[in-house]
Amino acid sequence: IYKKTVLGIMNIDNIKTHVLDHNPELTILMFGINDNTLNIALDEYYNNMKMLIEQIHESGSQVLVLSPTIISNTAINGGNEELLLYVKAAWQVAKDTGAAYINIHKLLYDFSFQNSPTYGSNPCIFLQDDVHPKTEKYADIAYIIFNYFMNMQ
């Protein structure tokens, strides 16, 4: 989304090709960890997400915003404590734009803690490095999202 982010982040210029041209009924957005790592200002993070959501809504797709996931408490820029500011900003932009929202940060923390009580003091058991979930943990993320939708009834 930003010209100063690392490779792999979707650029605002190509959302049409990568997402909107496929006419999705639902588009899921989740970003914020790289923004935190790169010290992207919260208002810029908010405005970029808002611009994406508005473009997606204009295409007729619904939007689900997932908060950033969890990171190591020793990660750059204050770990999860600093990242919570981006979690809150993601919630705010979802609320302001009428997008659905899941606080995946809290749900992953709670899910991991329930399945491994040591997680509370060591989030690294969920992560393959300071930022990225272990490959097998993506199934946990999918499970949490699935249960969220199942509990909406």
Side-chain angles (χ1 to χ4, degrees), residues 4 13 23-24 56 64-65 67 77 88 96 99 109 127 131:
K4 50 189 164 182
D13 298 332
N23 300 312
I56 295 165
L64 170 62
V65 174
S67 72
N77 293 340
K88 184 177 179 183
D96 292 348
Y109 187 91
L127 304 170
V131 175

Side-chain angles (χ1 to χ4, degrees), residues 88-118:
K88 184 177 179 183
W91 169 80
Q92 188 63 54
V93 73
K95 179 181 172 193
D96 292 348
T97 60
Y101 175 79
I102 299 176
N103 186 343
I104 200 77
H105 185 277
K106 179 179 181 342
L107 293 173
L108 284 174
Y109 187 91
D110 292 348
F111 180 84
S112 296
F113 187 77
Q114 290 168 356
N115 290 285
S116 176
T118 60

Side-chain angles (χ1 to χ4, degrees), residues 9-22:
I9 301 301
M10 186 183 302
N11 183 302
I12 189 75
D13 298 332
N14 63 24
I15 189 169
K16 183 178 182 321
T17 304
H18 290 287
V19 179
L20 303 180
D21 284 351
H22 299 281

Side-chain angles (χ1 to χ4, degrees), residues 91-152:
W91 169 80
Q92 188 63 54
V93 73
K95 179 181 172 193
D96 292 348
T97 60
Y101 175 79
I102 299 176
N103 186 343
I104 200 77
H105 185 277
K106 179 179 181 342
L107 293 173
L108 284 174
Y109 187 91
D110 292 348
F111 180 84
S112 296
F113 187 77
Q114 290 168 356
N115 290 285
S116 176
T118 60
Y119 172 77
S121 60
N122 183 13
C124 291
I125 65 163
F126 185 81
L127 304 170
Q128 66 180 345
D129 54 28
D130 280 347
V131 175
H132 302 96
K134 293 177 182 174
T135 301
E136 66 272 15
K137 296 302 181 183
Y138 285 101
D140 293 342
I141 295 170
Y143 175 80
I144 289 167
I145 295 168
F146 175 78
N147 278 328
Y148 172 84
F149 283 113
M150 293 304 292
N151 290 324
M152 288 179 64

Side-chain angles (χ1 to χ4, degrees), residues 72-85:
S72 168
N73 287 325
T74 60
I76 193 168
N77 293 340
N80 285 297
E81 186 173 321
E82 183 70 21
L83 187 62
L84 286 173
L85 298 173

Side-chain angles (χ1 to χ4, degrees), residues 4-50:
K4 50 189 164 182
T5 57
V6 295
L7 293 174
I9 301 301
M10 186 183 302
N11 183 302
I12 189 75
D13 298 332
N14 63 24
I15 189 169
K16 183 178 182 321
T17 304
H18 290 287
V19 179
L20 303 180
D21 284 351
H22 299 281
N23 300 312
E25 291 181 31
L26 174 68
T27 304
I28 300 174
L29 295 177
M30 179 176 69
F31 58 94
I33 292 174
N34 290 323
D35 304 80
N36 176 46
T37 302
L38 295 168
N39 288 317
I40 302 297
L42 286 169
D43 61 337
E44 184 178 353
Y45 170 75
Y46 173 96
N47 289 331
N48 286 330
M49 187 178 286
K50 183 178 181 202

